């Protein structure tokens, strides 16, 4: 199902190595690997792939090394239907490597090797000025350097939906994102950085999300641990529970949900409906090792309607 939405994702391109084990060994011990997968990864590529699955046209702005891992990552991105014209191949750099060690269901450890050379610069972003100015939605990973994020903010078209994922090291960038009426998505530790204060429990998460909306954000989605996620917008908010039972690997839930939230909003869906799209996308990411969801707009929309109806029914008075 095509949406007609044009998305540019500004973020990480990496190689993922996913290892499934029965248990993580202690120091000096070893463990057998039951399953192994090597695939395109990184937050930028993951979000781009999810947006493409949901029917958007998608371009990636990122950095790969001039090594076999980088060439393989770009080949996989093209095969997934992504425009990688904006991916810089950095001479002498090694492509980022993320090792996802998946143990008992719901437990994982992530090892990251990300050299400074494969982080975006402002010049890298400015080379994709045409794509950014013509995008309906621009997705920003705030783990990238502030100069690159500021360049993307400056180059995004005036009507583009800006969706920022994470929390920047430069606190001043939060105010710039709020001034740009960005959509903000953060996990629990990042929520505290965005809010500028401790965030405790579901009531604290609701308060932080609504405060960020009051300060200028278009929509805010903050993780609230086992309580699910809070999505707030001017005039309202909803708490979406964690969908599905016994998650295998939490890797990729944030990326899938950010992509679904962005595509739904850019396609004109209401914030509450987009919130349920995000919840469904997260569920589909955690059901297996590696965080690679299987998404399409029609089935996500149908499942989101069903989940929303069930939640409303559970809240109805007996």
């Amino acid at each position: 199902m095509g949406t007609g939405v044009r998305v540019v994702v500004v973020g990480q391109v990496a190689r993922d190595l996913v290892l499934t084990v029965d248990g993580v060994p202690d120091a000096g011990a070893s463990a057998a690997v039951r399953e192994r997968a090597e695939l395109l990864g990184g937050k930028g590529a993951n979000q781009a792939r999810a947006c493409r699955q949901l029917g958007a046209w998608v371009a990636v702005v990122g950095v790969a090394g001039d090594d076999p891992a980088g060439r393989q990552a770009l080949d996989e991105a093209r095969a997934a239907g992504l425009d990688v014209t904006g991916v810089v191949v950095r001479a002498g750099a090694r492509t980022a490597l993320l090792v996802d060690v998946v143990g008992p269901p719901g437990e994982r450890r992530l090892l990251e090797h990300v050299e400074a050379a494969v982080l975006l610069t402002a010049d890298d972003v400015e080379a994709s000025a045409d794509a950014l100015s013509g995008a309906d939605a621009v997705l920003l990973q705030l783990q990238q350097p502030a100069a690159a994020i500021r360049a993307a903010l400056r180059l995004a078209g005036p009507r583009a939906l800006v969706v920022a994922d994470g929390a920047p090291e430069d606190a001043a960038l939060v105010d710039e994102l709020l001034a740009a009426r960005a959509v903000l998505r953060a996990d629990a530790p990042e929520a505290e950085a965005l809010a500028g204060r401790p965030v405790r429990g579901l009531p604290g998460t609701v308060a932080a999300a609504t405060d960020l909306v009051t300060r200028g954000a278009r929509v805010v989605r903050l993780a609230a641990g086992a309580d699910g996620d809070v999505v707030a917008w001017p005039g309202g908010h909803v708490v979406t529970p964690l969908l599905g039972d016994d998650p295998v690997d939490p890797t990729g839930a944030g990326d899938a949900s950010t992509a679904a939230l962005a595509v739904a909003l850019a396609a004109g869906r209401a914030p509450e409906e987009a919130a349920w799209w995000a919840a469904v996308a997260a569920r589909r990411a955690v059901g297996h090792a590696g965080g690679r969801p299987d998404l399409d707009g029609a089935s996500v929309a149908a499942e989101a309607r069903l989940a929303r109806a069930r939640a409303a029914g559970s809240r109805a008075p007996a």
Side-chain angles (χ1 to χ4, degrees), residues 50-51 54 255-265 274 277-282 295 300:
C51 288
L54 289 167
D255 293 336
S257 61
T258 299
L261 186 72
V263 171
L265 290 172
W277 274 48
V280 168
L295 305 174
V300 168

Side-chain angles (χ1 to χ4, degrees), residues 2 81 137 220 232 285 305:
V220 177
R305 285 193 297 271

Side-chain angles (χ1 to χ4, degrees), residues 113-194:
H113 181 249
V114 184
E115 296 179 337
V118 291
L119 296 175
L120 281 162
T121 67
D123 287 343
D124 296 333
V125 175
E126 287 165 2
S128 293
D130 288 346
L132 286 160
S133 66
D136 299 307
V138 175
L139 277 62
L140 307 174
Q141 276 86 64
L142 299 183
Q143 298 81 3
Q144 294 291 319
I149 300 301
R150 287 190 169 102
L153 276 174
R154 184 176 68 253
L155 294 167
R159 291 182 296 277
L161 179 78
V162 175
V163 181
D165 177 43
E169 291 186 5
D170 184 346
L173 189 51
V174 175
D175 291 331
E176 295 170 45
L177 291 164
L178 292 171
R181 295 200 66 235
V183 175
L184 304 179
R185 202 293 304 184
D187 62 22
E190 293 165 343
E192 296 198 348
L194 287 179

